[in-house]
Amino acid sequence: MTARRRYITTTIPYVNAHPHLGFALELVQADTLARHHRQRGEQVRLLSGTDDNSLKNVLAAEAAGVDVQSFVDRNADAFAALRGPLALSLDDFIRTSSDPRHRVGVERLWRQCAASGDLYRKEYEGLYCVGCEQFYTPDELVEGRCAEHGTEPQLVAEENWFFRLSRYADRLHQLISSGELRIEPAARRNEVLALIGRGLHDFSVSRSHSRARGWGIPVPDDPSQVVYVWWDALGNYVTSLGYGTGDSAYDQWWETSERRVHLVGKGVVRFHAVYWPAMLLSAGLPLPTDILVHDYLTVDGRKISKSAGTSVDPVALALTYGTDAVRWWLLRDVPRVGDADFTPDRLTTRADADFAGGLGNLVHRIVTMVHRFRGGVVPASAPVNPGGLALADGCREVPGLVDAALADFDFRRAIHAVWEIVEEANRCIDAIRPWELAREERRGNGEAAKQLDTVLLTLVAACRVLADELRPFIPDAATRITGQLTPVEGLLPAAQPLFPRLHEDVQPA
């Protein structure tokens, strides 16, 4: 039987500056889903990349006194380099300015929509936010400013190509309301439905060559225009698969995948849940199946942003506190709905409580007992001690609970299900008191010896389940736990501390 295929993508960020923790959240969420589904036997392709063809990038390069290509190359390299510090299992990484797959795919998508009669030229005047790379109507502004960036849009007048978005309003509403195009959480789905219900207007899909500073992909058959950055960028989800080149990866991962999953921030839902599906409908291509939306990270209540002076460097965090601690805070403390305020103290407090004081202490405690009471040899199979039934039951149930939580895009709930095993294992130890069984065994009590074998075996098995279920969330730590529980020449390695206490040991990098 062929394994299910799941194509998972992140958004591709502008490279007007180095990456920040807000985008790291999306990367880690996507990586966790990819690792989880691979572990469950699915075929998975995980894509990220960078949006190079943006006016924001051009302006930032000009401000830095650097030519645009060199500027975007340098910053795009910083995004690609997040693989190591964040332990990402990316299968592909696309750059829209230099990847040879991209331009040909964007051109094909444009021609397909043109063939459907959905592209036309017209003169237009509107309020344009460079930060969003988007036109706004006055009623979409807050006191005349962009709600996302707090800046006043520019009044822009020019002739551009437009896409007939209005043609697809009813179809989009039906797809989303029926769940065929699934948007999670429900609050974001309702926002999109309300947006469509207010009426969809055709939108500009090109910019003049002069206003774009000549940077970007020329409109097919119209060199006076450059393809609008959002049209260009959204195409990456199919151009990275060789759409337009005849690559079989497109058929395998877009046309026939059971799930096509986009992870996006709440600020770009309109583009991914309205513009992109309409473009695909126009071109006659399959739609994504799932759009999973996360909220923002903040610092002192302000959105983490490259341009707002609230950037937090994820690489510096990983170097200072460790990859496990960074991934864990992003997955354990960031809610499914609502923004999360970041401080280094919150990260270290969480890591110390859960790692050093919780998971690490439990594994160390169990391995130490195996060495003390059984010379490092894990007992052979034995009946479950009545006192360990709850732990054994929990270990059997946890995979299903994790599956259900991650199907709902709820990382905190998934981790809570796994963490019940940590807490139940500690309750099991405190209730059965293996050291007292060992004392009775030394007095010749054969039944106590059997019970001790059973509880040690049950506890080691529980830790192995923990390592397996935590692997998608904290792969490096899971590998260390597995190593601690893997016999070498018949013996478990001597117990070693798995996690440092960050408050005591770490000085900022």
Side-chain angles (χ1 to χ4, degrees):
M1 184 175 179
T2 304
R4 286 168 55 92
R5 286 192 295 274
R6 185 177 299 258
Y7 179 42
I8 301 174
T9 70
T10 73
T11 54
I12 55 172
Y14 300 132
V15 291
N16 56 313
H18 276 214
H20 60 63
L21 190 63
F23 184 59
L25 168 66
E26 186 170 304
L27 286 169
V28 170
Q29 288 178 336
D31 179 73
T32 300
L33 291 178
R35 288 178 181 273
H36 169 77
H37 290 291
R38 290 191 196 109
Q39 191 165 300
R40 295 297 194 254
E42 294 187 25
Q43 295 181 34
V44 176
R45 184 182 182 98
L46 175 60
L47 169 74
S48 189
T50 55
D51 183 356
D52 299 355
N53 296 329
S54 163
L55 181 59
K56 286 179 71 169
N57 300 336
V58 174
L59 298 177
E62 290 177 354
V66 181
D67 73 274
V68 181
Q69 190 66 63
S70 298
F71 181 84
V72 299
D73 287 348
R74 183 183 67 201
N75 284 341
D77 286 346
F79 281 88
L82 291 173
R83 289 174 185 257
L86 296 179
L88 304 176
S89 59
L90 294 171
D91 297 295
D92 196 4
F93 189 92
I94 188 167
R95 289 193 48 206
T96 60
S97 71
S98 58
D99 195 306
R101 298 171 293 180
H102 187 63
R103 177 169 174 170
V104 65
V106 169
E107 290 172 341
R108 181 181 179 188
L109 185 63
W110 183 279
R111 294 186 191 279
Q112 289 292 104
C113 293
S116 296
D118 287 331
L119 297 177
Y120 63 94
R121 280 192 73 146
K122 78 167 186 176
E123 293 183 355
Y124 182 78
E125 181 176 277
L127 298 169
Y128 187 75
C129 174
V130 175
C132 294
E133 296 274 13
Q134 178 182 349
F135 282 102
Y136 285 105
T137 59
D139 63 334
E140 292 177 311
L141 304 175
V142 178
E143 296 181 351
R145 294 178 178 272
C146 166
E148 187 76 10
H149 294 91
T151 56
E152 293 184 7
Q154 303 171 357
L155 183 64
V156 173
E158 61 183 17
E159 185 177 352
N160 298 140
W161 286 91
F162 274 69
F163 175 74
R164 297 186 194 277
L165 180 65
S166 55
R167 176 179 286 182
Y168 296 96
D170 291 344
R171 180 69 176 134
L172 289 172
H173 196 282
Q174 186 273 328
L175 287 165
I176 295 167
S177 59
S178 70
E180 187 174 344
L181 173 52
R182 174 176 174 248
I183 302 173
E184 292 289 345
R188 300 299 170 211
R189 178 177 68 248
N190 293 338
E191 288 176 5
V192 173
L193 290 172
L195 173 66
I196 296 171
R198 290 193 295 270
L200 295 181
H201 303 286
D202 297 352
F203 69 99
S204 171
V205 293
S206 72
R207 300 291 178 261
S208 68
H209 184 276
S210 59
R211 190 157 72 85
R213 312 290 209 275
W215 182 252
I217 297 174
V219 167
D221 306 316
D222 185 357
S224 71
Q225 296 275 306
V226 169
V227 176
Y228 169 49
V229 65
W230 273 101
W231 179 287
D232 171 338
L234 288 165
N236 93 92
Y237 303 125
V238 294
T239 65
S240 63
L241 301 173
Y243 172 76
T245 69
D247 193 324
S248 62
Y250 170 75
D251 289 331
Q252 179 183 7
W253 292 104
W254 192 262
E255 288 283 346
T256 60
S257 276
E258 284 80 2
R259 309 306 296 183
R260 296 174 291 274
V261 183
H262 295 328
L263 274 73
V264 308
K266 65 180 180 182
V268 296
V269 173
R270 171 195 305 234
F271 300 100
H272 289 83
V274 178
Y275 292 6
W276 174 231
M279 292 160 57
L280 293 169
L281 288 171
S282 175
L285 305 182
L287 272 59
T289 58
D290 305 81
I291 298 174
L292 307 180
V293 186
H294 62 83
D295 285 1
Y296 290 148
L297 298 186
T298 60
V299 172
D300 295 330
R302 298 169 61 211
K303 176 194 169 189
I304 290 179
S305 166
K306 297 189 292 289
S307 58
T310 53
S311 185
V312 177
D313 183 355
V315 175
L317 285 179
L319 290 173
T320 301
Y321 303 112
T323 298
D324 295 323
V326 174
R327 286 180 66 110
W328 191 246
W329 186 84
L330 291 171
L331 297 166
R332 175 82 146 130
D333 278 16
V334 175
R336 183 169 180 260
V337 178
D339 297 342
D341 205 62
F342 172 79
T343 67
D345 186 66
R346 289 186 177 122
L347 183 150
T348 57
T349 297
R350 171 58 75 185
D352 282 350
D354 285 359
F355 289 167
L359 179 61
N361 182 62
L362 175 67
V363 174
H364 192 277
R365 194 179 185 190
I366 292 169
V367 172
T368 297
M369 287 192 292
V370 172
H371 276 273
R372 181 178 301 164
F373 305 142
R374 291 295 180 261
V377 178
V378 179
S381 179
V384 175
N385 186 299
L389 282 173
L391 178 58
D393 288 345
C395 288
R396 283 191 294 270
E397 294 168 359
V398 72
L401 295 173
V402 171
D403 289 349
L406 292 184
D408 286 343
F409 193 47
D410 194 335
F411 297 94
R412 292 174 83 179
R413 196 173 97 220
I415 287 175
H416 176 76
V418 178
W419 214 249
E420 283 292 309
I421 303 302
V422 175
E423 295 176 351
E424 187 57 43
N426 279 318
R427 285 193 290 267
C428 177
I429 293 170
D430 293 340
I432 296 176
R433 304 174 71 82
W435 50 92
E436 292 185 358
L437 292 175
R439 189 181 307 122
E440 290 298 312
E441 179 186 23
R442 288 194 296 271
R443 293 171 180 167
N445 185 332
E447 186 60 33
K450 292 178 183 178
Q451 290 184 15
L452 183 57
D453 280 348
T454 300
V455 72
L456 291 177
L457 177 61
T458 302
L459 290 167
V460 170
C463 286
R464 288 173 175 154
V465 169
L466 281 171
D468 285 343
E469 293 303 319
L470 287 171
R471 192 171 304 280
F473 302 91
I474 43 173
D476 294 349
T479 297
R480 294 198 302 276
I481 294 169
T482 298
Q484 184 75 88
L485 300 171
T486 302
V488 178
E489 297 182 354
L491 303 180
L492 292 187
Q496 299 291 330
L498 293 172
F499 303 97
R501 283 199 172 273
L502 299 181
H503 273 115
E504 297 172 3
D505 300 340
V506 171
Q507 297 297 320

